[in-house]
Amino acid sequence: MVYPHSYRTEHSETRTTNSVYGEYYAQHQSKKIPIQPELLKIIQFIDSHRGGFLKDLADAVMIKSVSGNLEYKDDVQKMIDFTQDWLSRLGLKYERFNIGFHELGGQKHRLPTILLASLGHDQRKKTLCIYVHLDVKEPDSSKWHTDPWTVNQIGNSIFGCGVAQGKATLIHWFHIIEAFQKTNTEFPVNLKFIIESMYHYDSVGLADFLPLRKHDFFVDIDNIIVCDCEWIGEKRPCIIYGTIGVIHYDIFVEKVSGSKTDPRDDMVNIFKEIVDDKEHILIPHFDDIVSQITPEEEKMYEDICDFNIDDIRENLPSFKQKWDKVKLLMHYWRLPSISVGETEECTCEKKDVDIVKRHFVVKIVPRQIINRSVNLTINHINNVAKKLNIENKVTCEEVSSTRFWHESVANPNYQAARRATIQIYKEDPSMIKHDKPMVLLTILDRVLENNILLLPLVTCGSNAGMENENITVRTFYESTKLLAAYLFQLAKS
């Protein structure tokens, strides 16, 4: 595997620092792309209806659609009904589906309804599949500066539960459809919607439901868009083309009669053979099949704007403080790593049994396969126990896993989003990755097998799904314009 900086030196320009290298950069366009007349009509409609748009968002935010909590079951249904009213008003065809049951409070309860909606069926046009979720996490009102269920504009920010995630995205799409209809503008693409209410519970039920409609409702889709996550900074828009994967493990060391070592000491010695103090993975062949870092990819990291490593340098471990932006971001997004938790005393019914447990998380990246990574890790730990002559019982278990997700930025779907961003924000977006796994994307990718665009609409610090969730006034309105511009650009791609 090739590591960062293999292609460049500190004081010389090489192929990765030359802006004309590579097909993607050779096609680099101006930061000014003209606004076509049809898009201009949409933008003017959006600008002239700002007050009504904000009220629509407030109507959605006031519905307490918290998923996975029986106390809010009726509110989740109320949000689904709210969405259905909008779909009917805008003339979309939709169906609602019961998708099974899940356990809450020790009892089985029906999962919230999933809505599938569509607008347009012109076979000459592309069909875009749009994912939206209606649920929110339950807010802790004591940590909010405002009422989480009321939209409040303070300065240049709009606060409320859901304003930086699904509810705002839903309202954006409804406003776009409304703008096209009321300006008598022809839709450039066909639209299909997946609307669910269990996003914050790993979209339970979705993976089983989608295959049932793959060969009818989803048979003609060309691309998928998910609006989630946030920009890396506060000024430059971003497009996300990948997420990491993770594997969670627990290691147990149990005291065996006659053993001369303490399980706690054994645990320390085992982890010295798994990862060193500079976070190098010591598992043989673990990163052998990690995809090679190319000059074009490294150039994308160099071009990321609105991220200043000096802002966080003092908080980094000493061995990372001399790293530059590219090396640090690749460490977060691009290269495998292991993070280790504290050793815990393991409780069990037999009071005389001495067991300690330690949790650790392995990050996996493109080309790494979960099964292979698990086998390498567990076999290595077993070999280490033998090598160190550990007499106590050592057990390693995989707890859970989520695979990585990755797309090519050269795909027409991504290029359409890039051109639309330049049109609206007059900035070439930074191409970034997300440093957490996303179960939803792996479901959509595995089942629907289409290119997925992950388009963040909010700035860094939006606190999506957390206390004081917010969206800037600018991005709230510009996001609607951005998605409209994306539809036009996608039609041309």
Side-chain angles (χ1 to χ4, degrees):
M1 189 183 86
V2 177
Y3 286 88
H5 313 302
S6 298
Y7 295 97
R8 62 189 174 92
T9 60
E10 186 177 358
H11 302 291
S12 65
E13 183 182 75
T14 64
R15 301 182 78 177
T16 53
T17 55
N18 186 331
S19 62
V20 299
Y21 177 78
E23 181 181 354
Y24 174 77
Y25 297 98
Q27 296 174 352
H28 185 81
Q29 298 179 7
S30 166
K31 290 186 179 180
K32 292 183 180 180
I33 297 178
I35 302 291
Q36 56 268 49
E38 296 87 353
L39 177 58
L40 181 59
K41 286 197 297 182
I42 303 299
I43 290 174
Q44 290 172 340
F45 180 89
I46 293 168
D47 285 336
S48 62
H49 290 76
R50 288 190 167 210
F53 285 5
L54 191 59
K55 181 184 180 303
D56 292 337
L57 178 64
D59 290 343
V61 168
M62 69 183 296
I63 302 173
K64 302 176 181 180
S65 53
V66 177
S67 55
N69 189 323
L70 289 177
E71 181 182 345
Y72 297 97
K73 183 179 179 181
D74 292 341
D75 295 284
V76 171
Q77 185 57 51
K78 186 177 180 181
M79 187 65 203
I80 294 171
D81 294 340
F82 170 88
T83 304
Q84 289 183 164
D85 289 344
W86 265 95
L87 294 173
S88 297
R89 191 189 322 166
L90 295 172
L92 277 76
K93 296 180 180 179
Y94 71 88
E95 295 180 84
R96 51 187 297 169
F97 298 89
N98 293 320
I99 60 168
F101 296 84
H102 68 136
E103 190 170 304
L104 275 179
Q107 295 181 329
K108 280 191 174 183
H109 295 271
R110 188 175 293 279
L111 285 162
T113 301
I114 281 184
L115 300 175
L116 296 183
S118 61
L119 182 66
H121 49 81
D122 190 335
Q123 295 183 357
R124 298 169 299 175
K125 298 177 181 178
K126 290 186 175 182
T127 298
L128 174 67
C129 181
I130 301 164
Y131 168 88
V132 180
H133 68 89
L134 308 180
D135 60 316
V136 296
K137 288 184 177 179
E138 183 174 10
D140 183 349
S141 298
S142 65
K143 296 181 180 180
W144 279 70
H145 301 319
T146 63
D147 178 3
W149 304 115
T150 303
V151 164
N152 289 277
Q153 183 174 336
I154 302 175
N156 294 320
S157 296
I158 299 167
F159 290 83
C161 191
V163 300
Q165 278 195 321
K167 289 186 177 182
T169 303
L170 179 77
I171 296 301
H172 288 320
W173 285 114
F174 286 163
H175 288 160
I176 289 167
I177 295 170
E178 184 179 47
F180 272 92
Q181 292 176 343
K182 291 192 174 180
T183 59
N184 295 314
T185 303
E186 182 181 356
F187 279 93
V189 297
N190 304 313
L191 303 179
K192 291 195 173 183
F193 287 86
I194 303 170
I195 305 173
E196 68 147 340
S197 301
M198 290 296 284
Y199 170 81
H200 290 292
Y201 269 71
D202 287 341
S203 297
V204 60
L206 187 66
D208 293 328
F209 168 72
L210 291 182
L212 302 179
R213 302 304 306 270
K214 180 177 179 179
H215 298 296
D216 47 23
F217 184 81
F218 298 110
V219 71
D220 57 350
I221 63 172
D222 297 291
N223 298 105
I224 302 169
I225 181 171
V226 177
C227 297
D228 205 340
C229 305
E230 62 183 27
W231 302 351
I232 198 171
E234 297 180 354
K235 298 177 181 178
R236 180 67 69 93
C238 300
I239 297 174
I240 300 175
Y241 64 98
T243 65
I244 65 166
V246 294
I247 308 172
H248 292 262
Y249 298 89
D250 282 333
I251 288 188
F252 301 87
V253 180
E254 179 182 347
K255 182 74 173 179
V256 173
S257 177
S259 169
K260 298 177 182 177
T261 58
D262 188 285
R264 294 151 196 80
D265 296 333
D266 290 340
M267 187 73 81
V268 170
N269 291 331
I270 288 171
F271 274 92
K272 285 180 180 178
E273 300 286 333
I274 296 176
V275 59
D276 68 17
D277 57 2
K278 291 189 177 180
E279 300 182 12
H280 295 132
I281 296 174
L282 304 178
I283 301 171
H285 309 295
F286 188 81
D287 59 2
D288 283 0
I289 63 171
V290 172
S291 59
Q292 182 171 336
I293 297 169
T294 65
E296 293 93 337
E297 185 179 10
E298 192 169 2
K299 179 66 169 62
M300 280 200 297
Y301 279 79
E302 291 172 348
D303 285 346
I304 291 172
C305 298
D306 215 8
F307 174 78
N308 187 352
I309 191 174
D310 291 332
D311 293 339
I312 62 171
R313 196 180 296 277
E314 290 184 359
N315 298 321
L316 295 172
S318 58
F319 69 92
K320 294 182 183 178
Q321 291 183 358
K322 293 183 179 180
W323 290 5
D324 65 4
K325 174 181 70 175
V326 174
K327 189 170 184 178
L328 184 65
L329 290 178
M330 283 198 172
H331 177 76
Y332 289 149
W333 302 340
R334 185 59 175 79
L335 302 173
S337 64
I338 294 178
S339 56
V340 182
E342 297 295 324
T343 300
E344 305 172 23
E345 300 292 330
C346 197
T347 58
C348 62
E349 295 179 359
K350 298 179 181 179
K351 301 298 182 183
D352 58 337
V353 176
D354 188 3
I355 305 177
V356 292
K357 180 180 80 170
R358 201 168 191 181
H359 185 77
F360 69 103
V361 181
V362 175
K363 177 179 68 181
I364 56 174
V365 295
R367 288 192 68 198
Q368 287 188 298
I369 301 167
I370 289 176
N371 288 345
R372 180 180 185 275
S373 299
V374 170
N375 289 336
L376 285 173
T377 302
I378 293 178
N379 289 339
H380 177 67
I381 289 169
N382 291 336
N383 291 335
V384 165
K386 293 178 182 178
K387 171 187 169 183
L388 299 178
N389 295 317
I390 294 175
E391 297 175 342
N392 293 317
K393 183 180 178 182
V394 178
T395 308
C396 180
E397 298 177 355
E398 176 193 356
V399 178
S400 64
S401 62
T402 303
R403 67 183 181 88
F404 65 85
W405 163 78
H406 178 81
E407 297 285 4
S408 168
V409 297
N411 185 279
N413 195 19
Y414 275 76
Q415 289 303 298
R418 175 178 169 265
R419 292 192 300 270
T421 304
I422 294 173
Q423 279 188 304
I424 301 304
Y425 284 103
K426 306 298 185 290
E427 295 278 5
D428 202 350
S430 295
M431 298 292 182
I432 66 171
K433 289 194 170 187
H434 187 50
D435 63 352
K436 296 180 178 63
M438 292 185 67
V439 173
L440 167 72
L441 296 179
T442 64
I443 293 173
L444 296 177
D445 185 37
R446 176 174 54 82
V447 177
L448 301 183
E449 300 178 301
N450 284 89
N451 181 270
I452 303 170
L453 169 69
L454 181 55
L455 185 63
L457 301 178
V458 296
T459 62
C460 178
S462 65
N463 294 341
M466 297 161 50
E467 63 271 11
N468 301 309
E469 183 173 346
N470 68 91
I471 184 172
T472 66
V473 173
R474 179 196 181 204
T475 51
F476 176 62
Y477 296 110
E478 298 299 273
S479 292
T480 309
K481 300 174 187 178
L482 172 62
L483 292 173
Y486 162 70
L487 296 182
F488 284 109
Q489 292 295 337
L490 184 64
K492 296 194 306 182
S493 64

